[in-house]
Amino acid sequence: MTYCVGLRLNRGMVFMSDTRTNAGVDNFSTTRKMFTFHVEGERMITIMTAGNLATTQALISLLEERSKATSDRDPTILRVPSMFQVARLIGSTLREIISESTAEGATSDAGFRATVIVGGQIKGGPPRLFLIYPEGNFIEATDDTPFFQIGETKYGKPILVRRYDPEMSFSEAVKLLLVSFDSTVKANLSVGLPFDLQTYEIDTFRVHKQIRIEQDDPTYQSISTGWGDALRAAFDLLPSYEL
Amino acid sequence: MTYCVGLRLNRGMVFMSDTRTNAGVDNFSTTRKMFTFHVEGERMITIMTAGNLATTQALISLLEERSKATSDRDPTILRVPSMFQVARLIGSTLREIISESTAEGATSDAGFRATVIVGGQIKGGPPRLFLIYPEGNFIEATDDTPFFQIGETKYGKPILVRRYDPEMSFSEAVKLLLVSFDSTVKANLSVGLPFDLQTYEIDTFRVHKQIRIEQDDPTYQSISTGWGDALRAAFDLLPSYEL
């Protein structure tokens, strides 16, 4: 599995992804699942992927190759005029890769499916955040649903639902994501450190911060330990159920 | 879905199950998923079920019918000599029902599978807790894995892992289960109130407490609201991730 979250804030966006990839418990390694397409001062696009690694690597490679081709006829992720068109382009590329794998040749029980979160901003438009399905269609984050999760989403959802606030600072949002990721890592072997973190500040069209958070990161360590203690303390304050 | 948890404590066992059953979001209702087989002073057995409702109802009906049959030749849940034999009996009955459904006739995408938690004590033996798979085989709770969850298990697992303690009182354990169930209910429509609760005190061979916890239960309400507040307070005490 995988765990990635994209969060829309009033001041921008925060993206976090884990780096564990596995084909069975005896075959796992570390791989980046967060990718950036960027034209300084004009557009800033962040993509996170979950699912079949062959599919997601092919997706990123195709997007990259096509963005370097000289032909003006094809739309590329660095040229399409809006974030909506970016999502359409990724969706159609993803569908193309999956249908190629599925059409002929060996099939895989695990399937060739992948899911993508893409967020960013292109000059002239607002920042937008999308969740793209393996079928190529997609949905957009709204004020009611201000974040998307892909991969192993369940363990880390309760704290996101309860503590998310669009007015959060970037530091608070990263803390929230670290708690959510920590709960997931503790419950599921298929999600693992290090985490990739990226923040985007509205109307800047460049990376705000980009950090790889390792297991021994002192703030992560104190959040991870502190959260267990804080949970226990919070629990003890609740009334008991008298029988 | 469903959410049921069976918890082994030093002083006994605690069982909790939700009551929502659904076939699609437009067809849901309330049904009991916790059943007791009991011979005063001799044995106390609690069963909780998750999965296809036709399968689980057939399982309970068969166990009940057979326990009332006069023939001495068949083992029944009220006569088998040990909790291990209880688990074997339930496992074989479950396998029999599922294989009958699967062998012929219409098939169902959803499948006919079901999973069962059974716990209890029979005079002369210790209290034991088992998780029975649709295949009819089963595993037992140990000191390392002192509880079982079935159904929609992920949302409510982090707090169980972090706060369970075999020395807990029944009241504390019920509080823990209510927090776990509350997190699940808030995240997944297929789990719903009321909850059925049963506690068993070691070497008593009778029900200790049996309660249906409704939505308007004041302690549940204060735990549900209090937990959200406590989580937020605990979160605010953690260090921020400085960017």
Side-chain angles (χ1 to χ4, degrees), chain B residues 132-169:
Chain B
I132 303 175
Y133 296 106
E135 291 76 9
N137 58 352
F138 49 85
I139 57 175
E140 181 172 5
T142 62
D143 291 342
D144 292 324
T145 309
F147 59 84
F148 287 129
Q149 305 169 285
I150 53 176
E152 190 56 59
T153 61
K154 296 188 178 183
Y155 303 104
K157 189 176 182 190
I159 185 66
L160 285 182
V161 170
R162 276 185 149 125
R163 195 56 190 79
Y164 167 84
D165 176 352
E167 286 294 338
M168 280 181 141
S169 70

Side-chain angles (χ1 to χ4, degrees), chain A residues 152 154 163 217 236 241, chain B residues 152 154 163 217 236 241:
Chain A
E152 190 56 62
K154 294 186 179 185
R163 195 56 189 80
D217 181 288
D236 291 340
Y241 197 93
Chain B
E152 190 56 59
K154 296 188 178 183
R163 195 56 190 79
D217 182 288
D236 291 338
Y241 197 92

Side-chain angles (χ1 to χ4, degrees), chain A residues 135-179:
Chain A
E135 290 77 8
N137 58 352
F138 50 86
I139 57 175
E140 182 173 4
T142 61
D143 292 341
D144 292 324
T145 309
F147 59 85
F148 287 129
Q149 304 168 285
I150 53 178
E152 190 56 62
T153 61
K154 294 186 179 185
Y155 304 104
K157 189 177 180 188
I159 185 65
L160 285 183
V161 170
R162 275 186 150 125
R163 195 56 189 80
Y164 168 84
D165 176 351
E167 286 294 339
M168 282 180 139
S169 69
F170 285 123
S171 295
E172 287 289 297
V174 172
K175 174 166 90 167
L176 176 61
L177 289 176
L178 284 177
V179 170

